[in-house]
Amino acid sequence: MQRSSRFVAFATSNEHKSREAERVLSEFGISLERLPGKGTEIQADDLSSIALFAAKEASRRYLKPVIVEDAGLFIDELNGFPGPYSSYIYRTLGLEKFLQLLTSLRSRSAVFRSSVSYCAPNVEPLVFEGVSKGSIGSRASGTYGFGFDPVFKPEGYESTFAEMTLEQKNRLSHRGDSLRKFARWFLQNE
Ligand code: ITT
C-alpha cells in the first residue's frame, strides 16, 4: 500500500461517516480533516448531482480541496425508494415503521449507494461512485454503525452492517467502495 502524508478535508455533519472515511483513507496514507457540514443539499434524484453541487460550494467556502459524500439506500422493488431521500425517511419513520412499510414486498433486495465528490477551488469537481448490494432483514439487529445499518445485510452475509466492525463494514460498504476509488485517483493525480 502507498504511504504519504497527504491530507484531505471531509465536509460532513455525520460523525460515523467521518470515522469510516478516516479508516479507509488511512490505508492509502491519506489523513482526514473533518469540516462541520456539507452545506447546501440540493433536491435531486441522483446522489452524484447532490454531492457535486455540495463539493463545489464547500471548496469555495473553505478555500481548500474538500470531499463530500451523499449516500442512500435503494430498494429494488420500490424502484429505488428511498434513495436520495434516505435521511428524511430515516428521521421521519425510524427503523420499526420503515420495516412495517416493507412487509408486502416479494423481494427485499436493496443496494446502498455512495457518491463521493472531490473539489479543489476553481477546479471542476469529480465524483466517485460506490455500491453495496444486499437485502433488508425482517428485523433490526446489531448496535454498530448508524442509520439503516441494523437492517441491511450485504450480499453473501447473514449479519447486518450493524453487527460488523467498522473494518468489516468498510470492506463491504458503498462508502468503502467510493472512497477507495477516490483514494486511488487522488494519489495518482494530486
Ligand atoms: P452529511 O450529508 O452531512 O454527510 P447525512 O447523514 O445527512 O450526512 P446523507 O445526506 O448522505 O448523510 O444521508 C444519507 C442517509 O442514508 C443517512 O442519514 C442514513 O440514514 C442513510 N445511510 C447512508 N449511508 C449509510 C450507511 O453506511 N449505513 C446506514 N445508513 C446509511
Side-chain angles (χ1 to χ4, degrees):
M1 198 58 68
Q2 276 174 281
R3 292 272 151 206
S4 74
S5 57
R6 292 173 193 242
F7 282 86
V8 70
F10 184 16
T12 179
S13 61
N14 187 322
E15 212 179 289
H16 297 274
K17 280 188 178 184
S18 157
R19 248 182 273 135
E20 290 176 13
E22 196 174 357
R23 193 65 64 89
V24 173
L25 296 180
S26 73
E27 290 171 14
F28 292 84
I30 302 169
S31 305
L32 202 66
E33 174 197 359
R34 179 166 167 213
L35 300 171
K38 177 152 106 187
T40 309
E41 209 165 305
I42 59 162
Q43 207 163 22
D45 288 346
D46 71 301
L47 303 177
S48 292
S49 306
I50 299 169
L52 283 162
F53 185 94
K56 206 165 178 172
E57 187 185 70
S59 77
R60 278 199 194 125
R61 177 158 22 104
Y62 294 112
L63 297 173
K64 56 174 143 186
V66 296
I67 54 171
V68 302
E69 190 228 23
D70 205 61
L73 179 64
F74 294 70
I75 298 171
D76 295 349
E77 201 175 305
L78 298 180
N79 302 329
F81 175 86
Y85 308 102
S86 296
S87 168
Y88 173 74
I89 293 301
Y90 178 78
R91 278 186 283 115
T92 312
L93 297 180
L95 288 180
E96 287 313 315
K97 283 192 179 151
F98 174 72
L99 287 174
Q100 281 167 25
L101 278 186
L102 308 187
T103 47
S104 63
L105 292 187
R106 278 169 298 134
S107 157
R108 298 176 77 89
S109 297
V111 291
F112 260 130
R113 293 185 187 281
S114 158
S115 289
V116 166
S117 179
Y118 171 80
C119 190
N122 305 315
V123 177
E124 278 308 299
L126 295 170
V127 72
F128 303 86
E129 297 178 345
V131 64
S132 177
K133 290 186 184 174
S135 62
I136 310 290
S138 51
R139 57 182 186 85
S141 187
T143 53
Y144 296 127
F146 69 101
F148 294 100
D149 279 343
V151 300
F152 185 81
K153 296 179 180 180
E155 209 166 67
Y157 293 80
E158 276 311 305
S159 312
T160 66
F161 271 163
E163 294 173 310
M164 297 182 177
T165 62
L166 188 132
E167 288 78 10
Q168 286 172 318
K169 180 183 169 188
N170 274 343
R171 269 200 296 279
L172 302 168
S173 79
H174 50 312
R175 184 163 301 106
D177 189 23
S178 56
L179 285 167
R180 282 188 288 273
K181 286 177 186 164
F182 159 71
R184 286 186 205 107
W185 175 86
F186 187 71
L187 292 183
Q188 289 196 339
N189 293 279
E190 287 299 284

